[in-house]
Amino acid sequence: MSAIVCISRHSPYGSSLARDALDAVLAAAAFEQDIALLLMDEGVWQAYRHQQASAIEQKELGKNLSALAVFGVEKVYVHERSLTRRGLDRDSLSLNNVQLLNDEATRALLAQARQVLSF
């Protein structure tokens, strides 16, 4: 498991919290920290394949998630129950390298983390 887990719980638009979480993950990765990103609750919308950010004159945050691999962030998780509660599934996500976590696996991930960042 990762030394640092960043939980992103907010939708990609409406506040800066989703972008702040992504910035924190990318900054930690740039300093070669062992970090993972966990999308939960409304945060699962960040990985939604069919975002239409241009309709609200925003840049699409989902595209920025592709930068995670460039920075060496290989541990990207999506809370499965959060996904299904929003009527989404793995095929509706823009990232192919995400791992879906059930509640038990999510608890284990957080329990084993040295630090948890929550946005």
Side-chain angles (χ1 to χ4, degrees):
M1 294 294 163
S2 296
I4 304 169
V5 175
C6 180
I7 305 171
S8 187
R9 296 178 181 266
H10 295 274
S11 65
Y13 311 105
S15 77
S16 67
L17 289 169
R19 287 191 187 281
D20 293 344
L22 182 58
D23 287 346
V25 170
L26 294 173
F31 286 98
E32 300 180 5
Q33 298 297 305
D34 181 19
I35 189 158
L37 175 63
L38 171 61
L39 301 174
M40 289 185 76
D41 302 325
E42 296 301 312
V44 300
W45 290 108
Q46 295 172 42
Y48 181 58
R49 178 184 308 275
H50 303 291
Q51 293 181 30
Q52 296 181 355
S54 61
I56 56 171
E57 299 180 4
Q58 296 282 315
K59 292 183 181 177
E60 188 174 314
L61 185 64
K63 289 182 180 178
N64 292 355
L65 291 176
S66 63
L68 293 169
V70 174
F71 280 78
V73 179
E74 298 173 356
K75 299 171 189 167
V76 180
Y77 304 104
V78 174
H79 184 237
E80 190 171 26
R81 187 165 42 96
S82 296
L83 196 65
T84 57
R85 282 188 173 175
R86 285 150 185 85
L88 303 174
D89 59 20
R90 181 185 291 277
D91 292 335
S92 60
L93 302 179
S94 61
L95 298 173
N96 296 325
N97 62 336
V98 298
Q99 182 178 348
L100 300 182
L101 298 182
N102 62 25
D103 290 341
E104 184 179 333
T106 300
R107 281 190 296 275
L109 175 72
L110 297 176
Q112 294 175 7
R114 189 182 70 226
Q115 297 212 295
V116 176
L117 305 174
S118 184
F119 288 84

